[in-house]
Amino acid sequence: MNVGLLQCDDLAPHVARVHGNYPALYAGLLQAVDPAIEFVTWRVHKGELPTDSDVVDAWLISGSKAGVYESHAWIESLLVLIRRLHAEHQTVVGICFGHQAMAQALGGRAGKSDRGWGVGVSFNTVIHHKPWMTPWQEGLDLIVSHQDQVLALPEGTEVLAESPFCPFYLLQYGPRLMSVQGHPEFSKACSADLMADKSDTLPDRRRREAMASLNAPVDDHVMARWIVNFMRDGSTSG
């Protein structure tokens, strides 16, 4: 299966040197499930966009420091592309910023949450079971790093997992589009380094709570399997 990565940011150089940048992180995540998966990357935040939506079997939209509401030309181009991929029945998965961009593009709204920073491990309840959620489990605990959230849903969106902190955590938009607020590609060490970079904006109590949460197990491998299952189902149906 060929996956088109719509890369929306670069990790800070000192973080990327230790943990890898987004292309390497997503390759490691999904190739642990299926080593045959191949990636083609478009650096969307640098103005690179695909002209043909059929060049890959599925699409993955990365995280970003940017907010989907910011007035960057590349963000508007990405939102237009998401609407086109949706109209053309392409399979798309969004991660964090990608999760918010999909909601924003399809008629919902994302913005800064009044709950503040989500960092460390988030603990979520899965409230709907889909066939691609194999292996099935009732929780979905992933590393997060975000101030923004999806605040209003596009019409017809299904909420699949939630928490009091992030009510719209895992979403599905019809049979071919799915997104998650968490970062299954981030390791706990990467999360700790990202929090260290936020020392001037992250309240000390939130940082201490988040660092403590890193002692909990995470479901990155489960989410990786779910993403691959979803991409396979979408790329072979219709």
Side-chain angles (χ1 to χ4, degrees), residues 25-36:
L25 292 175
Y26 289 120
L29 178 73
L30 300 190
Q31 288 172 352
V33 176
D34 182 357

Side-chain angles (χ1 to χ4, degrees), residues 26 29 60-63 92-103 122 124 126 132-133 140-144 146 148 150 160-162 166 168-173 177-185 219-220 223-224 226-227:
Y26 289 120
L29 178 73
L60 180 65
I61 308 173
S62 83
V92 186
V93 173
I95 306 291
C96 193
F97 171 86
H99 168 76
Q100 297 156 19
M102 289 170 67
S122 68
N124 306 276
V126 181
W132 49 267
M133 291 178 172
L140 182 64
D141 303 338
L142 298 174
I143 288 169
V144 291
H146 66 102
D148 293 348
V150 175
L160 305 182
E162 63 181 9
C166 185
F168 305 141
Y169 192 80
L170 179 66
L171 303 177
Q172 185 168 348
Y173 315 82
L177 279 74
M178 179 266 286
S179 66
V180 64
Q181 180 60 65
H183 280 279
E185 78 278 16
D219 297 319
D220 51 342
M223 191 68 225
W226 287 4
I227 290 171

Side-chain angles (χ1 to χ4, degrees), residues 39-59:
F39 282 82
V40 183
T41 299
W42 284 265
R43 290 170 59 80
V44 175
H45 62 305
K46 297 298 184 182
E48 297 178 8
L49 287 167
T51 56
D52 185 351
S53 61
D54 291 325
V55 293
V56 294
D57 300 306
W59 298 90

Side-chain angles (χ1 to χ4, degrees), residues 8-9 63-70 72 74-75 97 100 148:
C8 301
D9 202 359
S64 178
K65 293 185 293 291
V68 297
Y69 44 80
E70 294 177 10
H72 301 299
W74 70 267
I75 293 179
F97 171 86
Q100 297 156 19
D148 293 348

Side-chain angles (χ1 to χ4, degrees), residues 5 14 16 19 38 57 67 89 102 119-120 136 138 146-147 150 152 154 156 159 197 204 218 232:
L5 174 60
H14 66 283
H19 304 287
E38 297 184 359
D57 300 306
H89 307 291
M102 289 170 67
V119 282
W136 165 249
E138 295 181 348
H146 66 102
Q147 290 186 87
V150 175
V159 180
D197 279 356
D204 183 63
V218 293
R232 283 176 177 158

Side-chain angles (χ1 to χ4, degrees), residues 14 190-202 207 211:
H14 66 283
C190 182
S191 175
D193 286 347
L194 291 171
M195 281 190 271
D197 279 356
K198 297 178 176 65
S199 59
D200 57 338
T201 59
L202 189 62
R207 181 191 62 79
M211 289 297 294

